[in-house]
Amino acid sequence: MLSAFARAFKTPDLRKKLLFTLGIMVLFRLGAHIPVPGVSFQAVNACLKDQTSQGLFGLVNLFSGNALLQLTIFALGIMPYITASIILQLLTVVIPRLEALKKEGQAGTAKITQYTRYLTIALAVLQGTGIVATASSGALFSGCAYANQIVPDTSVFRIAVMVITMTAGTSMIMWLGELITDRGIGNGMSILIFTSIAAGFPGSMWAIKKSGTIGGGWVEFFSVIAVGVIVVMLVIFVEQAQRRIPVQYAKRMIGRRAFGGTSTYIPLKVNQAGVIPVIFASSLLYIPALLVQLTNSQSGWAGWIRTNFVKGDHPLYMLTYFLLIVFFAFFYVAISFNPEEVADNMKKYGGFIPGIRAGRPTAEYLNYVLTRITWPGSLYLGLIALIPMIALVAFGQQTNFPFGGTSVLIVVGVGLETVKQIESQLQQRNYEGFLR
């Protein structure tokens, strides 16, 4: 991988793309440290020092690169865009118009992307209003003495300015991501998510060292690094694993020319759902605690939720989280991969799986294989997502544990795809051919 980056910097046009991408990443991180107008920066810093848990906002804060709890102009991060993309992808299965656009190719994809942008702005306004209202009421940092001083001026004009600023920050993040996609290396939105998560790694590692008790914290520090290396190797192994289903295309005579007769395969990944099930499960588990916080109820059900579904070290929370991830893995694979559609397309172009009849038997075979490789993929996702919670029990560290859950899945996945793209572009520029 390092040799690929070294060769990329020696190639002039690739070097420009890499430097452009790095420049956008620096600009993105700069915006994550500029506070929103109307926020007391001193009160925010005081609450961040006293904070022991990120609570309900941990997932959004992760994707914003710790910008959410600092209430910066990029506080919402890329989360509204991720949510909008997931919603549009789910609606594609339900709404025939969106399904037709998806089948139209590039023009249809551009239209769906436009709808995604509109929905992102709407979600940014909604989420921005919720975050500002939460910060104004002092609920953003529960238990902090300065929580009510974070937004000194709670007038309608000041609140509107804060919401508009956060929404504009989300719009700028979308624009920066598209610039990386067009002029840089890799998928822009994925690179920005990678930047947000990776930016928190040094601080998390140092926090583990400072809170350690054995050998001045260095034993815990290097133990976490060793665990991280093992986890990353496991994630790379599983993310690269796939079940290749062979496909044979029959020869067709058109005039005097023969077409087809080639062999290929359908790559079915073990982790076909990606990181989406973890995001779904995390979001769903936030709802009970959010209801308790908003209602401020002291009844029996509220106490049961506070005991079992607020902290991640409770066995019932872990079990529910694990089962939700397994469920959403099967759910997302079912809506994102349609075996009947794949079988129909193969039949239309003269393709077949050796030993399997075309049409319905092919769809049943694809569904059979997909179901069985989704089981290890979903169990793997559940185990990786439980690592921060196990760290909470073992080290007393949950929010500061970097190698686990959503973070390591995204960082490794984006890193692999970016390296593959760099290597493919290097091969295009250094092709020697058969004749020298």
Side-chain angles (χ1 to χ4, degrees):
M1 184 178 69
L2 295 178
S3 62
F5 276 104
R7 284 186 292 136
F9 270 100
K10 293 179 182 178
T11 308
D13 54 340
L14 277 182
R15 182 170 62 245
K16 290 180 181 179
K17 290 185 176 183
L18 287 173
L19 292 177
F20 180 82
T21 303
L22 291 174
I24 295 294
M25 292 166 66
V26 171
L27 183 63
F28 175 64
R29 290 304 303 158
L30 179 64
H33 291 85
I34 302 175
V36 171
V39 172
S40 174
F41 192 62
Q42 292 78 9
V44 171
N45 282 337
C47 288
L48 284 174
K49 290 179 181 178
D50 296 338
Q51 183 198 27
T52 57
S53 174
Q54 295 175 354
L56 301 174
F57 306 100
L59 184 64
V60 183
N61 193 56
L62 173 69
F63 283 102
S64 65
N66 296 324
L68 172 66
L69 296 181
Q70 296 178 6
L71 292 176
T72 65
I73 59 175
F74 288 169
L76 299 179
I78 205 70
M79 200 63 183
Y81 183 84
I82 296 174
T83 308
S85 301
I86 293 174
I87 291 174
L88 262 296
Q89 194 168 6
L90 294 176
L91 290 178
T92 302
V93 185
V94 181
I95 302 176
R97 169 63 178 162
L98 292 177
E99 188 176 1
L101 285 175
K102 185 179 179 180
K103 294 179 180 179
E104 287 181 5
Q106 187 174 359
T109 304
K111 198 67 176 177
I112 293 178
T113 303
Q114 187 178 4
Y115 293 155
T116 306
R117 292 172 185 159
Y118 293 151
L119 184 57
T120 300
I121 298 300
L123 291 175
V125 173
L126 184 64
Q127 293 181 15
T129 304
I131 294 298
V132 173
T134 305
S136 302
S137 64
L140 187 62
F141 296 98
S142 301
C144 177
Y146 303 95
N148 293 322
Q149 304 175 18
I150 291 178
V151 184
D153 184 5
T154 57
S155 62
V156 176
F157 175 76
R158 178 61 65 185
I159 296 297
V161 169
M162 295 175 67
V163 173
I164 292 172
T165 303
M166 289 184 178
T167 305
T170 300
S171 303
M172 186 174 181
I173 290 174
M174 278 198 301
W175 178 60
L176 292 177
E178 291 177 358
L179 283 179
I180 293 178
T181 303
D182 294 339
R183 305 181 185 179
I185 292 291
N187 181 278
M189 298 302 176
S190 300
I191 293 293
L192 294 183
I193 297 173
F194 173 90
T195 305
S196 298
I197 296 174
F201 275 22
S204 299
M205 293 300 301
W206 189 246
I208 291 175
K209 189 267 174 190
K210 289 174 63 178
S211 63
T213 57
I214 306 175
W218 289 110
V219 174
E220 289 90 341
F221 180 82
F222 288 110
S223 298
V224 170
I225 290 180
V227 171
V229 171
I230 296 173
V231 170
V232 169
M233 291 173 60
L234 173 65
V235 171
I236 292 175
F237 177 77
V238 179
E239 291 296 323
Q240 297 286 80
Q242 57 183 222
R243 168 77 159 84
R244 296 182 176 182
I245 299 179
V247 178
Q248 182 76 34
Y249 285 92
K251 286 186 178 181
R252 294 183 298 168
M253 295 298 297
I254 301 179
R256 296 183 177 180
R257 302 182 62 182
F259 293 89
T262 59
S263 298
T264 183
Y265 60 86
I266 301 175
L268 296 179
K269 296 182 64 176
V270 173
N271 182 23
Q272 190 81 5
V275 75
I276 301 298
V278 182
I279 298 176
F280 279 4
S282 302
S283 304
L284 196 61
L285 278 180
Y286 283 152
I287 295 177
L290 181 62
L291 289 175
V292 172
Q293 182 172 344
L294 293 177
T295 58
N296 199 20
S297 175
Q298 301 299 325
S299 60
W301 67 269
W304 185 82
I305 289 177
R306 289 192 184 97
T307 304
N308 300 317
F309 282 94
V310 173
K311 290 186 178 180
D313 58 345
H314 197 279
L316 183 59
Y317 183 95
M318 292 186 183
L319 179 62
T320 306
Y321 190 41
F322 182 83
L323 293 177
L324 282 175
I325 290 174
V326 173
F327 168 76
F328 280 120
F330 278 93
F331 172 76
Y332 189 77
V333 169
I335 66 172
S336 61
F337 186 89
N338 190 348
E340 294 182 359
E341 183 179 352
V342 175
D344 291 341
N345 290 334
M346 288 171 54
K347 185 177 181 180
K348 186 186 301 182
Y349 295 104
F352 62 94
I353 300 174
I356 307 295
R357 290 169 54 191
R360 185 176 181 81
T362 298
E364 292 176 351
Y365 176 76
L366 290 174
N367 186 55
Y368 172 85
V369 175
L370 191 63
T371 301
R372 275 147 186 79
I373 67 170
T374 303
W375 270 113
S378 61
L379 297 177
Y380 145 81
L381 279 178
L383 292 175
I384 292 295
L386 287 179
I387 288 178
M389 300 175 187
I390 297 173
L392 174 62
V393 177
F395 296 102
Q397 295 286 335
Q398 180 186 25
T399 58
N400 291 325
F401 194 82
F403 301 106
T406 314
S407 57
V408 71
L409 290 172
I410 293 177
V411 168
V412 173
V414 175
L416 287 174
E417 290 301 320
T418 305
V419 170
K420 286 180 182 179
Q421 190 172 119
I422 292 175
E423 289 180 344
S424 65
Q425 295 199 23
L426 283 172
Q427 288 179 357
Q428 293 175 2
R429 287 161 176 79
N430 297 285
Y431 179 67
E432 296 180 354
F434 294 105
L435 299 177
R436 301 180 182 178

